[in-house]
Amino acid sequence: MTILVAGGAGFIGSNFVLDWLVRSNEPVVNLDRLTYAGNLENLVGLQNDARHDFEQGDIGDSALVGRLLAEHRPRAVLNFAAESHVDRSIHGPGDFIQTNIVGTFRLLEAVREYWSGLPDAERQAFRLLHVSTDEVYGTLTPTDLPFAESARYEPNSPYSASKAASDHLVRAWHHTYGLPVLTTNCSNNYGPYHFPEKLIPLMIVNALAGNSLPVYGDGMQIRDWLYVKDHCSAIRRVLEAGRVGDTYNIGGWNEKPNIEIVRSICTLLDELRPKADGTSYATQIAYVTDRPGHDRRYAIDARKIERELGWKPAETFESGIRKTVQWYLQNPEWIAHVQSGSYRDWVAKQYGQEMVA
Ligand code: NAD
Ligand code: DAU
């Protein structure tokens, strides 16, 4: 048996592939376009591993996806491939529409064609698992209940709107064509191999470089943080036992305001890599202009996946963030390599030229 993972060179996808092959010998075909966010260095440990077959390409390339499905005959397809950064979606939504909506549509069609031609038993057992986000539900007030699976879709950014559209397509392909799909909607992840455009890795790399730590607005926006390996274990569990056609919300019960996250990173760095001048990394915090349309609070009600599938996160925020900071301290070369020319262009566009000097 084999699984096909789309987007397996990105942050969550590469963590998933690495964990999968630690726990099982079932081969992985990894289809990734290698955009700025895809990084084969994340998978360097699998270089000589015959169980991992990397194919560079686009989920929207129907001929390529059709060929991979016909050749490898996977029992499941897991879709992590997406444009994933909200700030980039504000500067340029086109790529988000193309990959997250059109790409998902083309992937669904290629998978449907393959699945329809399978013998009965394989057709019954086949699954398409679509990895999505809590951002499709919009924003919460401080007193609202966390998002349950029944929450209304109210996406507010071009990114979340494109993910919401992809979720709707996946749902429709199940209801209309019977495609055996599963959808997961997860909260904010953090951990190894996280591209330093996102809050947690950006704060770690900026702190170490002596740059400012840009906190949007008042820093009191709340996110619900989950260590990436817990997200991977939840996805494995949903693939294994999830009810076809259902969605599962995944979260860590770790709601924290951004400024608290930034301060906890500074405290850990003060302990693990104290600055020569004895000052705290917290002196580098700088409040900057807020993100347009910034969602105030996300929170996930993860009771369904716990009740029905017995999944719970293994890490607390304290254990996960310590592991994460340690990983970045131990991997300066990985950081240096991702901070390429195009990374510097992004930082200059988003935060100003002085941040790349
Ligand atoms: P990422 O940006 O780190 O990785 C995305 C990967 O997809 C990259 O390797 C990229 O090269 C690849 N890709 C992009 N367009 C492609 C295309 N057209 N064809 C093939 N590959 C393509 O993203 P991530 O943070 O790892 O997120 C993975 C998935 O999980 C996304 O669908 C995202 O919406 C979802 N998600 C992310 C989080 C989070 O906190 N990061 C939380 C919940 C859900
Ligand atoms: O909730 C799940 C989502 O989490 C995923 O679907 C997205 O793919 C993922 O990127 C993430 O989206 P966010 O917008 O929440 O993540 P980001 O790391 O960009 O920002 C987290 C919070 O920190 C958010 O409130 C904005 C704020 N922020 C972010 C950056 C990059 C800052 O204050 N300063 C920054 O420089």
Side-chain angles (χ1 to χ4, degrees):
M1 294 206 288
T2 299
I3 61 167
L4 190 150
V5 169
F11 163 48
I12 304 173
S14 61
N15 275 287
F16 180 85
V17 170
L18 291 167
D19 279 8
W20 180 269
L21 291 173
V22 166
R23 286 172 169 76
S24 129
N25 275 327
E26 185 174 3
V28 176
V29 179
N30 187 347
L31 169 67
D32 194 296
R33 199 179 123 202
L34 296 182
T35 66
Y36 78 92
N39 186 352
L40 284 181
E41 249 183 275
N42 301 0
L43 301 162
V44 80
L46 300 175
Q47 229 165 19
N48 300 313
D49 194 323
R51 300 169 304 166
H52 181 237
D53 184 348
F54 182 80
E55 298 277 346
Q56 183 171 2
D58 197 314
I59 53 167
D61 181 343
S62 310
L64 171 65
V65 177
R67 176 177 68 71
L68 292 177
L69 292 169
E71 268 175 23
H72 297 278
R73 299 183 66 79
R75 63 154 177 119
V77 171
L78 292 93
N79 183 29
F80 295 83
E83 289 293 334
S84 69
H85 190 32
V86 174
D87 292 321
R88 285 186 193 252
S89 83
I90 295 167
H91 286 285
D95 287 347
F96 290 72
I97 304 304
Q98 200 52 41
T99 283
N100 299 358
I101 307 180
V102 180
T104 302
F105 157 65
R106 296 221 173 103
L107 180 69
L108 281 165
E109 280 295 79
V111 170
R112 181 164 76 91
E113 193 179 331
Y114 162 72
W115 168 77
S116 334
L118 289 174
D120 263 3
E122 285 173 49
R123 237 163 67 91
Q124 298 280 330
F126 183 83
R127 299 287 182 269
L128 176 107
L129 190 150
H130 178 63
V131 179
S132 192
T133 170
D134 60 358
E135 299 203 11
V136 297
Y137 299 122
T139 189
L140 295 168
T141 69
T143 54
D144 283 338
L145 292 173
F147 302 123
E149 286 77 2
S150 55
R152 212 163 72 177
Y153 271 43
E154 290 182 336
N156 292 319
S157 71
Y159 163 69
S160 56
S162 68
K163 289 297 291 186
S166 71
D167 293 8
H168 290 326
L169 291 174
V170 170
R171 177 189 161 88
W173 260 240
H174 171 63
H175 281 269
T176 304
Y177 304 112
L179 192 68
V181 304
L182 298 156
T183 299
T184 55
N185 293 87
C186 189
S187 61
N188 285 63
N189 285 215
Y190 66 100
Y193 307 115
H194 204 181
F195 194 81
E197 64 185 354
K198 308 282 169 63
L199 180 74
I200 288 182
L202 182 81
M203 294 300 150
I204 299 171
V205 305
N206 276 13
L208 293 172
N211 290 335
S212 65
L213 308 179
V215 173
Y216 296 162
D218 64 2
M220 290 306 290
Q221 303 82 6
I222 290 172
R223 297 292 182 268
D224 180 355
W225 294 93
L226 182 70
Y227 190 60
V228 64
K229 289 182 187 303
D230 280 325
H231 188 187
C232 295
S233 73
I235 290 172
R236 286 195 304 274
R237 187 67 192 130
V238 172
L239 179 64
E240 182 177 60
R243 205 177 319 132
V244 167
D246 265 20
T247 66
Y248 293 89
N249 283 358
I250 305 170
W253 303 104
N254 271 314
E255 283 186 60
K256 291 193 188 297
N258 293 336
I259 186 64
E260 199 181 305
I261 299 288
V262 177
R263 289 196 185 284
S264 60
I265 291 167
C266 292
T267 305
L268 275 169
L269 286 173
D270 288 341
E271 175 198 328
L272 299 169
R273 182 69 57 86
K275 287 212 269 187
D277 65 5
T279 62
S280 168
Y281 288 95
T283 58
Q284 292 167 227
I285 293 173
Y287 288 90
V288 300
T289 310
D290 208 351
R291 172 185 280 174
H294 200 169
D295 285 338
R296 196 70 184 163
R297 173 180 168 231
Y298 305 141
I300 278 281
D301 176 346
R303 283 177 301 177
K304 175 179 174 185
I305 188 171
E306 181 175 352
R307 188 177 61 243
E308 295 188 7
L309 305 182
W311 176 86
K312 270 205 269 196
E315 301 289 345
T316 62
F317 183 73
E318 289 63 36
S319 64
I321 193 69
R322 181 172 283 273
K323 283 184 183 174
T324 304
V325 170
Q326 279 167 336
W327 187 88
Y328 281 88
L329 289 173
Q330 285 157 6
N331 288 279
E333 283 182 8
W334 184 91
I335 298 174
H337 292 168
V338 295
Q339 290 178 318
S340 65
S342 68
Y343 177 79
R344 283 198 296 277
D345 292 346
W346 162 252
V347 171
K349 187 175 188 178
Q350 175 69 5
Y351 302 98
Q353 195 58 45
E354 63 281 5
M355 282 270 285
V356 284

